[in-house]
Amino acid sequence: MLPFAPDTVPTLHGVRVLDAARVLAGPFCGQLLADLGADVIKLERPGAGDDTRGWGPPYVPGFNDLSAYFLSCNRGKLSLTLDIASPDGSDIFHRLLAKCDVLIENFRTDSAEKLGLTPDALLARHPKLIACSISGFGRTGPMKDAPGYDFAIQALSGLMNITGPAEGPPYKVGVALADILTGLYASNAILAALHARARTGHGYAIDIALADCALAAQVNVAQAFLTSVKLPQRQGNAHLQIVPYQLFATADGWLVLNVGNDGQWRAFCAAAREAELGADPRFATNRQRVELRAEVVPKVEAIMKRFPTNEWETRLSEANVPHAVVRTYADVFADEQTLARGMKLTVRDPAGNPVDLIGSPVQLHGAPNAPPTMPPCLGEQTEKVLGELLGLGAEEVKALKEKGVV
């Protein structure tokens, strides 16, 4: 029981966000804020929309602008089409900003300068705005004008150089991790700026770079280089600083073994009926096991191949040794734990058909998350937004459509 009566509205209720970003990092940031209850208006190009609408298949059946990619980062939003480069569009954009708390954008530097939408210009005109600028390399430094793509950022940040098998080429992570990390860092910064604005009364400009976020997220591995000035070697499915902590073949499959401390090492050896190995003083501590990795890992590899995966699961569970089976998405989304945590949710498309989406990982006790809603079709709420926020009538919106402004 909570020591207080829970709120009935989400934590960001009353916060309005104009999401003028495209593709993944910015839209993902906007979705996180929408999950927490912010009113998020997704600004898109008339006739085309966000690039990710066309990044398919797969698509929602019957809706060619609702790709799986677009669905993954745009739930809970309203879609407004607007050509901000046109005089009328620019006027509407600033009128909207005057009614918004947050702007998320990933304008190119030259475009922002041409349109008068640099952070300084935005705050001069909207002094209470939280203006979050997302770019490949940030707004300072010699690469500030260079475009940023997740794959390239993974290469340039060092992330690919520590990912993949020890022998062979560097690998990218299986998802656009630099984009996702940037969206998380950006949402964190926006929440901090909103909190500060409540105290100071003025807005803030946030400068978030994919390259910075990708580097910062390499934590212990990048820090190991700074500490030792030695380049860390790719470990494949092993861990640079913990042994044994990697993927092992069993008699009939694969299992991740996570021996995170010396007690778990002894417990593993006991579960494996390898008392002699557990008592060997050369392998007693993690430091020793890391230094003698070339001896320890082959021993564990041979041991793990003795039994099938199911038997190892039983043995390791009874011994409280962390481990995991490598699962497919079919396994994951059918799992009772996934379902219990609400990580698969169902919404309705405009035709009323059910559509499954990935759920929000944020669960607050004392306040609800915003009810999930279907990612919008292109321009689906244009008339609604312009009418409710700016008081434009149907004829005015029609005229703007005829001019290609919305």
Side-chain angles (χ1 to χ4, degrees):
M1 295 291 292
L2 293 170
F4 51 83
D7 293 339
T8 58
V9 296
T11 50
L12 290 184
H13 176 74
V15 173
R16 184 175 293 123
V17 178
L18 187 59
D19 177 2
R22 297 162 40 235
V23 186
L24 186 52
F28 185 71
C29 172
Q31 178 174 268
L32 295 174
L33 301 178
D35 287 340
L36 296 173
D39 295 322
V40 180
I41 301 167
K42 182 174 180 64
L43 189 150
E44 302 188 73
R45 294 168 296 174
D50 194 314
D51 296 349
T52 59
R53 288 187 180 275
W55 287 5
Y59 296 91
V60 174
F63 296 90
N64 291 333
D65 65 341
L66 294 176
S67 68
Y69 203 119
F70 182 83
L71 295 182
S72 73
C73 52
N74 287 290
R75 67 170 172 263
K77 301 179 185 180
L78 307 174
S79 174
L80 164 72
T81 53
L82 185 66
D83 176 12
I84 63 174
S86 67
D88 288 340
S90 177
D91 176 65
I92 291 173
F93 179 69
H94 284 288
R95 289 172 65 188
L96 287 171
L97 280 185
K99 295 181 178 293
C100 289
D101 300 284
V102 178
L103 169 67
I104 304 170
E105 55 89 358
N106 58 357
F107 304 142
R108 287 177 44 180
T109 303
D110 56 351
S111 296
E113 292 174 351
K114 180 180 178 180
L115 296 173
L117 298 178
T118 63
D120 288 344
L122 285 167
L123 286 180
R125 188 162 179 175
H126 307 282
K128 291 189 176 182
L129 182 68
I130 308 300
C132 181
S133 176
I134 295 175
S135 60
F137 299 94
R139 300 307 186 192
T140 57
M143 296 187 70
K144 63 183 179 65
D145 296 325
Y149 300 94
D150 181 275
F151 199 169
I153 296 297
Q154 290 198 36
L156 292 169
S157 67
L159 182 58
M160 284 183 65
N161 203 48
I162 62 165
T163 306
E167 300 296 331
Y171 277 64
K172 72 177 182 67
V173 181
V175 297
L177 189 62
D179 278 317
I180 295 302
L181 291 168
T182 301
L184 288 165
Y185 277 111
S187 65
N188 196 45
I190 287 169
L191 295 177
L194 286 169
H195 178 74
R197 189 183 68 175
R199 173 174 50 84
T200 66
H202 62 73
Y204 295 86
I206 300 169
D207 178 4
I208 297 282
L210 272 71
D212 298 343
C213 295
L215 178 56
Q218 291 173 60
V219 290
N220 60 298
V221 183
Q223 185 61 50
F225 169 74
L226 292 177
T227 301
S228 67
V229 201
K230 294 180 180 178
L231 290 174
Q233 299 300 305
R234 288 196 301 278
Q235 300 297 317
N237 287 312
H239 195 289
L240 180 67
Q241 294 147 340
I242 310 174
V243 172
Y245 197 101
Q246 66 186 74
L247 181 71
F248 288 99
T250 65
D252 64 350
W254 298 93
L255 193 78
V256 169
L257 183 63
N258 307 109
V259 175
N261 58 49
D262 300 333
Q264 290 173 357
W265 167 249
R266 292 189 291 273
F268 164 73
C269 293
R273 307 296 188 262
E274 286 286 340
E276 183 177 341
L277 181 62
D280 192 324
R282 296 181 304 147
F283 309 137
T285 69
N286 180 68
R287 178 169 183 166
Q288 291 171 301
R289 294 191 296 275
V290 170
E291 292 173 345
L292 296 174
R293 182 191 299 267
E295 291 187 49
V296 176
V297 170
K299 292 179 184 294
V300 177
E301 286 176 334
I303 292 169
M304 294 297 294
K305 290 178 181 177
R306 293 176 187 168
F307 305 112
T309 301
N310 286 343
E311 183 168 346
W312 273 120
E313 285 193 276
T314 300
R315 287 173 176 258
L316 297 174
S317 295
E318 291 176 351
N320 291 318
V321 176
H323 62 282
V325 175
V326 180
R327 300 192 299 190
T328 66
Y329 286 142
D331 301 324
V332 172
F333 284 112
D335 182 69
E336 291 183 4
Q337 180 67 21
T338 301
L339 300 176
R341 296 293 293 175
M343 288 307 298
K344 183 174 80 170
L345 53 86
T346 302
V347 295
R348 298 281 173 175
D349 69 20
N353 300 307
V355 176
D356 289 335
L357 300 177
I358 304 169
S360 170
V362 178
Q363 299 197 17
L364 292 171
H365 294 271
N369 278 359
T373 61
M374 181 72 183
C377 291
L378 179 60
E380 185 177 347
Q381 291 84 19
T382 296
E383 292 185 20
K384 172 183 173 69
V385 171
L386 296 181
E388 293 182 0
L389 291 188
L390 304 185
L392 298 185
E395 290 301 317
E396 292 175 284
V397 175
K398 180 181 178 181
L400 290 169
K401 286 184 177 181
E402 292 173 350
K403 294 169 64 176
V405 176
V406 301

